[in-house]
Amino acid sequence: MKTQLTLIAAAALLAGCAAPGLSQRPANLAPAQFAQLPAIEAQAATGAAQMTAAFVDSAQLQRVVDEVLANNRDLRAAAARLRQAEALADAAGAQRLPTVGVGASAARQRAPDTNGNYSTFNAYGVNANAAWEIDLWGRASANAQAAGYDAQSAALDRDAAQLSLAGAALNLQTQLIGLGHRLQLARETLKVQNQLLDLVKARVGAGRNTALDQARAEALVAQTAASVPALRNAACLTRLQLDVLRGQPPADCDKADSDPLPAMPEPRLISLGQLPDPAGLLAARPDVKAAATRAQAAASRAQVAWAARWPSVGLSGSIGWSAGATSDLFKSATRVGSVAGALNWNFLDFGARAADERAARAGFDAAVAAAEQAQLVALQDAQGSLSTLRETELQATAQAAAADATVRARDLAFKRYDAGVTDFYALLTTEQERLAAADALIQVQTNRAAALLNVHKAFAARLTASN
């Protein structure tokens, strides 16, 4: 008994030890500041701006966000994984505590006595037992910590999924609105070009235009008409993607094509608010925090693998009553009990546990690298989105001026053609330029809205007031 107590005492002296070499943590890779900022004024804000509040008319976009957060199947799966991780964390935490059990038995037996005479008798028993493994090396605590970190990372993964999916849905909605306006422009232009074709036909009949002018007008109408099916199909495919994100069955594209066309999302020029610095960005991004938390979980699992190489000490005890009649149970004469301590150490395993520890340490190193990579990706997203927003703001201004100029040029060309000063080819050319410039303006406006959404997504903006 003294030898056993000595071993237990010696093990207790080492209980404060921990697995060596696990102090490394993901490095902070945030620069002092971002290199480029968008060419718009920023307005101070008390918190991160809502993603949908970045637009003048945000009600339609907010409805899309609400539908995604309520119905998206990937988000439901992320929520279920979070509940699973929380339950596993509770179970791992309970392993640090003693286990207690109770039991009862009743039996009727026929057996010989020492003289070989058979007799029948009853046996009744009630017992309670307890067991506890002393966490000398922190194995159980580290296992509980790892499970807790898993639950934290699952919660952060859910938050990251909310941000990513809602941002993707808003981008699709913006693209869908842009395609709708491009389709509307093509249809309205087609009407004008058909009227122009009728005018040319009339003039050809009167001998004032040539068959070449009519062929060119017909070619322009056909080219514009050919763009309509392509735009309709692109809008249909975008709508189908959006329906999947909203957790809805695919919509009838023909029916949706007749729905009222929403207005183009108009960005607020002062909607960004106070942008966080790079360090603040990394602190706010749920995907970055989730990666860092997984590194902590990996460190705890390396601690578990290290602790498994050393002896384990356990205590157990039981108390019970055993009698031939139920009326004799719980009497002192029928009481039985035991208390025991045990030390177990599989010191010869041919390197199996050492290999497990090496694998766990390698997993920790991989998790640290993944956490640092998550920082780099987040910084890339933020810097890239700021640069894109700055350039699309400039591009939108220039493209709007170009579109206005082509409208004026087409109107002047029509007046000159009607007066007989220029030929029909000059009018067709200006009409083609007007259509191309107007279509390009819608695309630039769509890209500008998407760029602003990407800024809010990159900076982990809140999607709803409650988030």
Side-chain angles (χ1 to χ4, degrees):
M1 183 66 179
K2 288 184 178 180
T3 302
Q4 185 182 38
L5 291 176
T6 301
L7 290 173
I8 294 174
L13 292 176
L14 299 174
C17 297
L22 293 177
S23 59
Q24 178 188 1
R25 292 293 182 267
N28 188 345
L29 304 179
Q33 61 184 6
F34 291 109
Q36 296 174 327
L37 291 176
I40 61 176
E41 296 180 2
Q43 174 176 284
T46 57
Q50 294 182 19
M51 186 178 291
T52 56
F55 299 93
V56 174
D57 181 14
S58 61
Q60 58 171 317
L61 298 178
Q62 187 61 53
R63 283 194 297 270
V64 174
V65 171
D66 293 340
E67 290 174 355
V68 169
L69 298 183
N71 303 313
N72 184 268
R73 298 306 192 269
D74 288 334
L75 288 183
R76 290 186 185 180
R81 286 191 292 270
L82 173 58
R83 295 193 301 271
Q84 181 185 40
E86 290 173 341
L88 292 175
D90 292 339
Q95 292 178 1
R96 296 177 295 176
L97 304 175
T99 59
V100 179
V102 296
S105 63
R108 184 172 178 82
Q109 299 180 357
R110 177 176 173 80
D113 59 17
T114 56
N115 297 322
N117 298 319
Y118 282 85
S119 61
T120 301
F121 59 91
N122 297 327
Y124 301 94
V126 176
N127 65 84
N129 56 77
W132 178 39
E133 179 182 337
I134 301 174
D135 195 15
L136 290 178
W137 315 102
R139 182 188 61 81
S141 297
N143 191 52
Q145 285 180 345
Y149 287 135
D150 286 341
Q152 292 178 29
S153 62
L156 291 167
D157 286 338
R158 178 205 56 191
D159 296 342
Q162 287 181 340
L163 186 67
S164 178
L165 288 170
L170 287 173
N171 269 315
L172 287 173
Q173 177 68 11
T174 301
Q175 296 294 329
L176 183 61
I177 295 173
L179 287 168
H181 280 270
R182 292 179 65 193
L183 185 59
Q184 183 183 57
L185 171 66
R187 286 169 172 166
E188 291 175 351
T189 300
L190 198 56
K191 293 179 181 179
V192 173
Q193 291 175 352
N194 274 309
Q195 293 172 356
L196 190 59
L197 176 59
D198 292 339
L199 175 62
V200 172
K201 288 180 178 179
R203 291 197 173 196
V204 169
R208 298 178 58 186
N209 278 107
T210 66
L212 177 60
D213 293 333
Q214 180 176 336
R216 285 173 171 169
E218 290 173 345
L220 182 60
V221 169
Q223 289 175 358
T224 305
S227 69
V228 172
L231 291 171
R232 272 204 314 264
N233 184 59
C236 179
L237 296 178
T238 304
R239 187 176 289 110
L240 294 177
Q241 294 180 62
L242 186 58
D243 287 339
V244 170
L245 290 183
R246 291 188 294 190
Q248 299 177 356
D252 184 350
C253 291
D254 291 335
K255 179 180 180 300
D257 192 42
S258 62
D259 293 341
L261 181 63
M264 278 292 295
E266 181 182 350
R268 300 179 189 272
L269 294 182
I270 54 173
S271 63
L272 285 179
Q274 188 65 45
L275 292 175
D277 58 15
L281 163 70
L282 298 182
R285 290 265 301 216
D287 54 343
V288 173
K289 292 190 289 185
T293 304
R294 280 190 283 271
Q296 291 178 296
S300 296
R301 289 194 169 87
Q303 171 74 21
V304 172
W306 175 84
R309 300 180 61 184
W310 304 106
S312 64
V313 176
L315 299 176
S316 63
S318 66
I319 185 172
W321 292 263
S322 179
T326 57
S327 59
D328 293 332
L329 288 174
F330 304 111
K331 292 181 179 180
S332 59
T334 63
R335 186 176 61 190
V336 294
S338 66
V339 177
L343 184 147
N344 295 297
W345 187 14
N346 295 325
F347 61 88
L348 182 60
D349 60 2
F350 301 97
R353 287 178 175 80
D356 289 341
E357 183 184 356
R358 292 197 304 272
R361 288 177 180 275
F364 170 71
D365 292 339
V368 169
E372 293 178 353
Q373 179 67 15
Q375 292 185 44
L376 294 175
V377 171
L379 293 170
Q380 176 192 6
D381 288 347
Q383 185 65 75
S385 65
L386 290 174
S387 177
T388 301
L389 179 59
R390 185 187 67 172
E391 299 304 327
T392 51
E393 284 286 343
L394 298 174
Q395 186 181 10
T397 301
Q399 190 61 50
D404 289 340
T406 57
V407 171
R408 295 196 305 271
R410 193 277 311 270
D411 292 343
L412 289 173
F414 183 80
K415 291 178 181 179
R416 291 171 62 84
Y417 169 73
D418 192 49
V421 178
T422 59
D423 60 8
F424 185 68
Y425 180 73
L427 176 60
L428 283 182
T429 300
T430 56
E431 171 60 17
Q432 288 176 314
E433 292 172 348
R434 182 199 67 83
L435 174 59
D439 187 72
L441 177 60
I442 295 174
Q443 294 184 61
V444 171
Q445 290 172 337
T446 303
N447 293 339
R448 181 180 63 169
L452 184 55
L453 286 171
N454 287 336
V455 168
H456 284 278
K457 177 184 173 183
F459 283 84
R462 292 181 304 198
L463 299 178
T464 63
S466 62
N467 284 349

